[in-house]
Coordinates of all heavy atoms in Angstrom, one line a residue:
M1 N 81.9 79.9 122.9 CA 83.0 80.7 122.6 C 84.2 79.8 122.4 O 85.1 80.0 121.5 CB 83.2 81.7 123.6 CG 84.3 82.7 123.3 SD 84.2 84.1 124.5 CE 85.9 84.6 124.4
T2 N 84.4 78.8 123.3 CA 85.6 77.9 123.2 C 85.6 77.2 121.9 O 86.6 77.1 121.2 CB 85.6 76.9 124.4 OG1 85.6 77.7 125.6 CG2 86.8 76.0 124.3
L3 N 84.4 76.6 121.5 CA 84.3 75.9 120.2 C 84.6 76.8 119.0 O 85.3 76.4 118.1 CB 82.9 75.3 120.0 CG 82.6 74.1 121.0 CD1 81.2 73.7 120.8 CD2 83.6 73.0 120.9
S4 N 84.2 78.0 119.1 CA 84.4 79.0 118.0 C 85.9 79.3 117.9 O 86.5 79.3 116.8 CB 83.7 80.3 118.2 OG 84.0 81.2 117.3
T5 N 86.6 79.4 119.1 CA 88.0 79.7 119.1 C 88.8 78.5 118.5 O 89.7 78.7 117.8 CB 88.5 80.0 120.5 OG1 87.7 81.1 121.0 CG2 89.9 80.4 120.6
V6 N 88.4 77.3 118.9 CA 89.1 76.1 118.4 C 88.9 76.0 116.9 O 89.9 75.7 116.2 CB 88.5 74.9 119.1 CG1 89.0 73.6 118.4 CG2 88.9 74.8 120.6
G7 N 87.7 76.3 116.4 CA 87.5 76.3 115.0 C 88.3 77.3 114.2 O 88.9 77.1 113.2
D8 N 88.4 78.5 114.8 CA 89.3 79.6 114.2 C 90.7 79.1 114.2 O 91.4 79.3 113.1 CB 89.2 80.9 115.1 CG 87.8 81.5 115.0 OD1 87.0 81.1 114.0 OD2 87.5 82.4 115.8
E9 N 91.2 78.6 115.2 CA 92.6 78.1 115.3 C 92.9 77.0 114.2 O 93.9 77.0 113.6 CB 93.0 77.7 116.7 CG 93.1 78.8 117.7 CD 94.0 79.9 117.3 OE1 95.1 79.6 116.8 OE2 93.7 81.1 117.5
I10 N 92.0 76.1 114.1 CA 92.1 75.0 113.2 C 92.2 75.6 111.7 O 93.0 75.2 110.9 CB 91.0 73.9 113.3 CG1 91.3 73.2 114.6 CG2 91.0 73.0 112.1 CD1 90.1 72.2 115.0
S11 N 91.2 76.5 111.4 CA 91.2 77.1 110.1 C 92.5 77.9 109.8 O 93.0 77.9 108.7 CB 90.0 77.9 109.9 OG 89.9 79.0 110.7
L12 N 92.9 78.7 110.8 CA 94.1 79.5 110.6 C 95.4 78.6 110.5 O 96.3 78.9 109.6 CB 94.3 80.4 111.8 CG 93.4 81.6 111.8 CD1 93.5 82.4 113.1 CD2 93.6 82.5 110.6
I13 N 95.5 77.5 111.2 CA 96.6 76.6 111.1 C 96.6 75.9 109.8 O 97.7 75.8 109.1 CB 96.7 75.6 112.3 CG1 97.1 76.3 113.6 CG2 97.7 74.5 112.0 CD1 96.9 75.5 114.8
S14 N 95.5 75.5 109.3 CA 95.4 74.9 107.9 C 95.8 75.9 106.9 O 96.5 75.6 105.9 CB 94.1 74.3 107.7 OG 93.1 75.3 107.7
L15 N 95.3 77.2 107.0 CA 95.7 78.2 106.1 C 97.2 78.5 106.2 O 97.8 78.7 105.1 CB 94.9 79.5 106.4 CG 95.2 80.7 105.5 CD1 94.8 80.3 104.0 CD2 94.4 81.9 105.9
I16 N 97.8 78.4 107.3 CA 99.2 78.6 107.5 C 100.0 77.5 106.7 O 100.9 77.8 106.0 CB 99.6 78.6 109.0 CG1 99.2 79.9 109.6 CG2 101.1 78.4 109.1 CD1 99.4 79.9 111.1
F17 N 99.6 76.3 106.9 CA 100.3 75.2 106.2 C 100.1 75.3 104.7 O 101.0 75.1 103.9 CB 99.8 73.8 106.7 CG 100.4 73.4 108.0 CD1 99.6 73.3 109.1 CD2 101.8 73.1 108.0 CE1 100.2 72.9 110.3 CE2 102.3 72.7 109.2 CZ 101.6 72.6 110.4
R18 N 98.9 75.7 104.3 CA 98.6 75.9 102.8 C 99.5 77.0 102.3 O 100.0 76.9 101.2 CB 97.1 76.1 102.6 CG 96.7 76.4 101.3 CD 96.7 75.1 100.5 NE 96.1 75.5 99.2 CZ 96.4 74.8 98.1 NH1 97.1 73.7 98.2 NH2 95.8 75.1 97.0
T19 N 99.6 78.1 103.0 CA 100.3 79.3 102.5 C 101.8 79.0 102.5 O 102.5 79.4 101.6 CB 100.1 80.5 103.5 OG1 98.7 80.7 103.5 CG2 100.7 81.7 103.0
A20 N 102.3 78.2 103.5 CA 103.8 78.0 103.6 C 104.2 77.1 102.4 O 105.3 77.3 101.9 CB 104.1 77.3 104.9
G21 N 103.4 76.1 102.0 CA 103.8 75.3 100.9 C 105.2 74.7 101.1 O 105.5 74.1 102.1
D22 N 106.0 74.8 100.1 CA 107.4 74.2 100.2 C 108.5 75.3 100.3 O 109.6 75.1 99.9 CB 107.6 73.3 99.0 CG 107.4 74.1 97.7 OD1 107.0 75.3 97.7 OD2 107.7 73.5 96.6
R23 N 108.1 76.3 101.0 CA 109.1 77.4 101.3 C 110.1 77.0 102.4 O 110.1 75.8 102.7 CB 108.4 78.7 101.7 CG 107.6 79.3 100.5 CD 106.9 80.5 100.9 NE 106.2 81.2 99.8 CZ 105.1 80.7 99.2 NH1 104.5 79.6 99.7 NH2 104.5 81.4 98.3
T24 N 110.8 77.9 102.9 CA 111.8 77.6 104.0 C 111.1 76.8 105.1 O 109.9 77.0 105.4 CB 112.4 78.9 104.5 OG1 111.4 79.6 105.2 CG2 113.0 79.7 103.4
P25 N 111.9 76.0 105.8 CA 111.4 75.2 107.0 C 110.9 76.1 108.1 O 110.2 75.7 109.0 CB 112.5 74.3 107.4 CG 113.7 74.9 106.8 CD 113.3 75.7 105.6
F26 N 111.3 77.4 108.1 CA 110.9 78.3 109.2 C 109.6 79.0 109.0 O 109.2 79.8 109.8 CB 112.0 79.3 109.5 CG 113.3 78.7 110.0 CD1 114.4 78.6 109.2 CD2 113.4 78.1 111.2 CE1 115.6 78.0 109.6 CE2 114.5 77.5 111.7 CZ 115.6 77.5 110.8
A27 N 109.0 78.8 107.8 CA 107.8 79.6 107.4 C 106.7 79.3 108.4 O 106.0 80.2 108.9 CB 107.4 79.2 106.0
V28 N 106.4 78.0 108.6 CA 105.2 77.7 109.5 C 105.5 78.2 110.9 O 104.6 78.8 111.5 CB 104.9 76.2 109.5 CG1 103.9 75.8 110.5 CG2 104.5 75.8 108.1
P29 N 106.6 77.9 111.6 CA 106.8 78.4 112.9 C 106.7 80.0 113.0 O 106.2 80.5 114.0 CB 108.2 78.0 113.3 CG 108.5 76.8 112.5 CD 107.7 77.1 111.2
M30 N 107.3 80.6 112.0 CA 107.2 82.1 112.0 C 105.8 82.6 111.9 O 105.4 83.6 112.5 CB 108.1 82.7 110.9 CG 109.6 82.5 111.2 SD 110.1 83.1 112.8 CE 110.0 84.8 112.6
L31 N 105.0 81.9 111.1 CA 103.6 82.3 110.9 C 102.8 82.1 112.2 O 101.9 82.8 112.6 CB 102.9 81.6 109.7 CG 103.3 82.1 108.4 CD1 102.9 81.1 107.3 CD2 102.8 83.5 108.1
L32 N 103.1 80.9 112.9 CA 102.5 80.7 114.2 C 102.8 81.7 115.2 O 102.0 82.1 116.0 CB 102.8 79.3 114.7 CG 102.2 78.1 113.9 CD1 102.8 76.8 114.3 CD2 100.7 78.1 114.1
V33 N 104.1 82.1 115.3 CA 104.5 83.1 116.2 C 103.8 84.4 115.9 O 103.3 85.1 116.8 CB 106.1 83.3 116.2 CG1 106.5 84.5 116.9 CG2 106.8 82.1 116.8
A34 N 103.7 84.8 114.6 CA 103.1 86.0 114.2 C 101.6 86.0 114.6 O 101.0 87.0 114.9 CB 103.2 86.2 112.7
E35 N 101.0 84.8 114.6 CA 99.6 84.7 115.0 C 99.4 84.8 116.5 O 98.4 85.4 117.0 CB 99.0 83.3 114.5 CG 97.6 83.1 114.9 CD 97.2 81.7 114.6 OE1 97.8 81.0 113.8 OE2 96.2 81.3 115.2
L36 N 100.2 84.1 117.3 CA 100.0 84.0 118.7 C 100.7 85.1 119.6 O 100.2 85.4 120.6 CB 100.5 82.6 119.2 CG 99.8 81.4 118.6 CD1 100.5 80.1 118.9 CD2 98.3 81.4 118.9
L37 N 101.8 85.6 119.1 CA 102.5 86.6 119.9 C 101.8 87.8 120.3 O 101.8 88.3 121.4 CB 103.9 86.9 119.2 CG 104.8 87.8 120.1 CD1 105.3 87.0 121.3 CD2 106.1 88.1 119.3
P38 N 101.0 88.5 119.3 CA 100.3 89.7 119.7 C 99.3 89.4 120.8 O 99.1 90.2 121.7 CB 99.6 90.1 118.4 CG 100.4 89.5 117.3 CD 101.0 88.2 117.9
G39 N 98.6 88.3 120.8 CA 97.7 87.9 121.9 C 98.3 87.8 123.2 O 97.8 88.2 124.2
L40 N 99.5 87.1 123.2 CA 100.2 86.9 124.5 C 100.7 88.2 125.0 O 100.7 88.5 126.2 CB 101.4 86.0 124.2 CG 101.1 84.5 123.9 CD1 102.3 83.8 123.5 CD2 100.4 83.9 125.1
L41 N 101.2 89.1 124.2 CA 101.7 90.4 124.6 C 100.6 91.4 125.1 O 100.8 92.2 126.0 CB 102.5 91.1 123.5 CG 103.8 90.4 123.1 CD1 104.5 91.1 122.0 CD2 104.8 90.3 124.3
A42 N 99.4 91.2 124.5 CA 98.3 92.1 124.8 C 97.4 91.6 125.9 O 96.5 92.3 126.3 CB 97.5 92.4 123.5
T43 N 97.7 90.5 126.4 CA 96.8 89.9 127.5 C 96.5 90.8 128.6 O 95.3 91.0 129.0 CB 97.3 88.5 127.9 OG1 97.4 87.6 126.8 CG2 96.5 87.9 129.0
P44 N 97.5 91.4 129.2 CA 97.2 92.3 130.4 C 96.3 93.5 130.0 O 95.4 93.9 130.7 CB 98.5 92.8 130.9 CG 99.5 91.9 130.3 CD 98.9 91.4 129.0
F45 N 96.5 94.1 128.8 CA 95.7 95.2 128.4 C 94.3 94.7 128.0 O 93.3 95.4 128.2 CB 96.4 95.9 127.2 CG 97.8 96.3 127.5 CD1 98.8 95.6 126.9 CD2 98.0 97.3 128.4 CE1 100.1 96.0 127.2 CE2 99.3 97.6 128.7 CZ 100.4 97.0 128.1
I46 N 94.2 93.6 127.4 CA 92.9 93.0 127.0 C 92.0 92.8 128.2 O 90.8 93.1 128.2 CB 93.0 91.8 126.2 CG1 93.7 92.1 124.8 CG2 91.7 91.1 126.0 CD1 94.1 90.9 124.0
G47 N 92.6 92.3 129.3 CA 91.9 92.0 130.5 C 91.3 93.3 131.1 O 90.1 93.3 131.5
R48 N 92.1 94.4 131.1 CA 91.6 95.6 131.6 C 90.5 96.2 130.7 O 89.5 96.8 131.2 CB 92.7 96.7 131.7 CG 93.7 96.4 132.8 CD 94.7 97.5 133.0 NE 95.9 96.9 133.5 CZ 97.1 97.0 133.1 NH1 97.4 97.8 132.1 NH2 98.1 96.4 133.7
L49 N 90.7 96.0 129.4 CA 89.7 96.5 128.4 C 88.3 95.8 128.6 O 87.3 96.4 128.6 CB 90.2 96.3 127.0 CG 89.3 96.8 125.9 CD1 89.1 98.3 126.0 CD2 89.8 96.4 124.5
V50 N 88.4 94.5 128.8 CA 87.2 93.7 129.0 C 86.5 94.1 130.3 O 85.2 94.1 130.4 CB 87.5 92.2 128.9 CG1 86.3 91.4 129.4 CG2 87.9 91.8 127.5
D51 N 87.3 94.3 131.3 CA 86.7 94.7 132.6 C 86.0 96.1 132.5 O 85.0 96.4 133.2 CB 87.7 94.8 133.7 CG 88.2 93.4 134.1 OD1 87.5 92.4 133.8 OD2 89.3 93.3 134.7
A52 N 86.5 97.0 131.7 CA 86.0 98.3 131.6 C 84.8 98.5 130.6 O 84.1 99.5 130.6 CB 87.1 99.3 131.2
R53 N 84.7 97.6 129.6 CA 83.7 97.7 128.6 C 82.8 96.5 128.6 O 83.0 95.5 129.2 CB 84.4 97.8 127.2 CG 85.4 98.8 127.1 CD 84.9 100.0 126.4 NE 85.9 101.0 126.0 CZ 86.2 102.0 126.7 NH1 85.7 102.3 127.8 NH2 87.2 102.9 126.2
D54 N 81.8 96.5 127.7 CA 80.8 95.4 127.5 C 81.5 94.3 126.7 O 81.9 94.5 125.6 CB 79.6 95.9 126.8 CG 78.6 94.8 126.6 OD1 78.6 93.8 127.3 OD2 77.7 95.0 125.7
A55 N 81.6 93.1 127.4 CA 82.4 92.0 126.7 C 81.7 91.6 125.4 O 82.3 91.1 124.5 CB 82.5 90.9 127.7
G56 N 80.4 91.6 125.4 CA 79.6 91.2 124.2 C 80.0 92.0 123.0 O 80.2 91.5 121.9
K57 N 80.0 93.3 123.2 CA 80.3 94.2 122.1 C 81.8 94.0 121.6 O 82.1 94.1 120.4 CB 80.1 95.7 122.5 CG 78.6 96.0 122.6 CD 78.4 97.5 123.0 CE 77.0 97.8 123.2 NZ 76.7 99.1 123.6
L58 N 82.7 93.8 122.6 CA 84.1 93.6 122.2 C 84.2 92.3 121.4 O 85.0 92.2 120.5 CB 84.9 93.6 123.5 CG 85.2 94.9 124.2 CD1 85.9 94.7 125.5 CD2 86.0 95.8 123.2
L59 N 83.5 91.3 121.8 CA 83.6 90.0 121.1 C 83.1 90.1 119.7 O 83.7 89.6 118.8 CB 82.8 88.9 121.9 CG 82.8 87.5 121.4 CD1 84.2 87.0 121.3 CD2 81.9 86.6 122.2
V60 N 82.0 90.8 119.5 CA 81.4 91.0 118.2 C 82.4 91.8 117.3 O 82.7 91.4 116.2 CB 80.1 91.7 118.2 CG1 79.6 92.2 116.8 CG2 79.0 90.8 118.8
A61 N 83.0 92.9 117.9 CA 83.9 93.7 117.1 C 85.2 92.9 116.7 O 85.7 92.9 115.6 CB 84.3 95.0 117.9
T62 N 85.7 92.1 117.7 CA 86.9 91.3 117.4 C 86.6 90.3 116.4 O 87.4 90.0 115.5 CB 87.3 90.7 118.8 OG1 87.6 91.7 119.7 CG2 88.6 89.9 118.6
S63 N 85.4 89.6 116.5 CA 85.1 88.6 115.5 C 85.0 89.2 114.1 O 85.4 88.6 113.1 CB 83.8 87.9 115.9 OG 84.0 87.2 117.1
L64 N 84.4 90.4 114.0 CA 84.3 91.1 112.7 C 85.7 91.4 112.1 O 85.9 91.2 110.9 CB 83.4 92.3 112.8 CG 81.9 92.1 113.0 CD1 81.2 93.4 113.2 CD2 81.4 91.3 111.8
V65 N 86.6 91.9 112.9 CA 87.9 92.2 112.5 C 88.6 90.9 112.0 O 89.3 90.9 111.0 CB 88.7 92.9 113.6 CG1 90.2 93.0 113.2 CG2 88.1 94.3 113.8
E66 N 88.5 89.9 112.8 CA 89.1 88.6 112.5 C 88.6 88.0 111.2 O 89.4 87.6 110.3 CB 88.9 87.6 113.6 CG 89.6 86.3 113.4 CD 89.4 85.3 114.6 OE1 88.2 84.8 114.7 OE2 90.3 85.1 115.4
A67 N 87.3 88.1 111.0 CA 86.7 87.6 109.8 C 87.2 88.4 108.5 O 87.4 87.8 107.5 CB 85.2 87.7 109.9
T68 N 87.3 89.7 108.7 CA 87.8 90.5 107.6 C 89.2 90.2 107.3 O 89.6 90.1 106.1 CB 87.7 92.0 108.0 OG1 86.4 92.3 108.4 CG2 88.2 92.9 106.9
I69 N 90.1 90.0 108.2 CA 91.5 89.6 108.0 C 91.6 88.3 107.3 O 92.3 88.1 106.4 CB 92.3 89.7 109.3 CG1 92.4 91.1 109.8 CG2 93.7 89.1 109.1 CD1 93.0 91.3 111.1
I70 N 90.8 87.3 107.8 CA 90.8 86.0 107.2 C 90.3 86.0 105.8 O 90.9 85.4 104.9 CB 90.0 85.0 108.1 CG1 90.8 84.7 109.4 CG2 89.8 83.7 107.3 CD1 90.0 83.9 110.4
A71 N 89.3 86.8 105.5 CA 88.8 86.9 104.1 C 89.8 87.5 103.2 O 90.0 87.1 102.1 CB 87.5 87.7 104.1
W72 N 90.5 88.5 103.7 CA 91.6 89.2 103.0 C 92.7 88.2 102.7 O 93.2 88.2 101.6 CB 92.1 90.4 103.7 CG 93.3 91.1 103.1 CD1 93.3 91.9 102.0 CD2 94.6 91.0 103.5 NE1 94.6 92.3 101.7 CE2 95.4 91.8 102.6 CE3 95.3 90.3 104.6 CZ2 96.8 91.9 102.8 CZ3 96.6 90.5 104.7 CH2 97.4 91.2 103.8
M73 N 93.1 87.4 103.7 CA 94.2 86.5 103.5 C 93.8 85.4 102.5 O 94.6 85.0 101.6 CB 94.5 85.8 104.8 CG 95.3 86.7 105.8 SD 95.5 85.9 107.4 CE 96.5 84.5 107.0
A74 N 92.5 85.0 102.5 CA 92.0 84.0 101.6 C 92.0 84.5 100.2 O 92.4 83.9 99.2 CB 90.7 83.5 102.0
A75 N 91.6 85.8 100.0 CA 91.6 86.4 98.7 C 93.0 86.5 98.1 O 93.2 86.3 96.9 CB 90.9 87.8 98.8
I76 N 94.0 86.9 99.0 CA 95.4 87.0 98.5 C 95.9 85.7 98.1 O 96.6 85.5 97.1 CB 96.2 87.7 99.6 CG1 95.8 89.1 99.9 CG2 97.7 87.6 99.2 CD1 96.0 90.0 98.7
A77 N 95.6 84.6 98.9 CA 96.0 83.3 98.6 C 95.5 82.8 97.3 O 96.2 82.1 96.5 CB 95.7 82.3 99.8
M78 N 94.2 83.1 97.0 CA 93.6 82.7 95.8 C 94.2 83.4 94.6 O 94.4 82.8 93.6 CB 92.1 82.9 95.8 CG 91.4 82.0 96.7 SD 89.6 82.3 96.9 CE 89.1 82.2 95.2
Q79 N 94.6 84.7 94.8 CA 95.2 85.4 93.7 C 96.6 84.8 93.4 O 97.0 84.8 92.2 CB 95.4 86.9 94.0 CG 94.1 87.6 94.0 CD 94.2 89.1 94.4 OE1 95.3 89.5 94.8 NE2 93.2 89.9 94.2
W80 N 97.3 84.4 94.4 CA 98.7 83.9 94.2 C 98.7 82.4 93.8 O 99.7 81.8 93.6 CB 99.5 84.1 95.5 CG 99.9 85.5 95.8 CD1 99.7 86.6 95.0 CD2 100.5 86.0 96.9 NE1 100.1 87.7 95.5 CE2 100.6 87.4 96.8 CE3 100.9 85.4 98.1 CZ2 101.2 88.2 97.7 CZ3 101.5 86.2 99.0 CH2 101.7 87.6 98.9
G81 N 97.5 81.8 93.8 CA 97.4 80.4 93.4 C 97.7 79.4 94.5 O 98.1 78.3 94.1
F82 N 97.5 79.7 95.7 CA 97.8 78.8 96.8 C 96.6 77.9 97.0 O 95.6 78.0 97.1 CB 98.1 79.5 98.1 CG 99.4 80.1 98.1 CD1 99.6 81.5 98.2 CD2 100.6 79.4 98.1 CE1 100.8 82.1 98.2 CE2 101.8 80.0 98.1 CZ 101.9 81.3 98.2

């Protein structure tokens, strides 16, 4: 799971740099904040959810949602020519 998470973060960070291009200097930090802040704010609730439910099913559901969002972001980036 740790290796998968590291791989996800590396791919998302590379996508962030690719998407930011030569826009404002605050584009990359703002994208990183948008990526990390929800997880930080939701940590207490996620802990309770994992304790109350089957962690395996939650991991599969979360991975599917994450894969869908990344595929959507990649499709949008390809349409915009990034």
Side-chain angles (χ1 to χ4, degrees):
M1 186 169 155
T2 301
L3 293 176
S4 174
T5 303
V6 169
D8 291 344
E9 292 301 317
I10 290 171
S11 64
L12 287 173
I13 289 171
S14 64
L15 183 61
I16 286 170
F17 281 113
R18 176 77 174 152
T19 304
D22 55 356
R23 290 180 178 75
T24 64
F26 297 110
V28 172
M30 292 305 292
L31 287 168
L32 288 171
V33 167
E35 176 189 342
L36 298 173
L37 189 62
L40 292 174
L41 294 176
T43 299
F45 305 109
I46 293 170
R48 288 187 208 132
L49 181 66
V50 169
D51 288 343
R53 306 260 193 264
D54 180 21
K57 290 180 182 177
L58 286 174
L59 184 59
V60 169
T62 304
S63 295
L64 289 173
V65 170
E66 183 180 74
T68 303
I69 292 171
I70 291 172
W72 174 75
M73 288 173 64
I76 295 296
M78 287 176 58
Q79 286 179 352
W80 289 352
F82 287 113

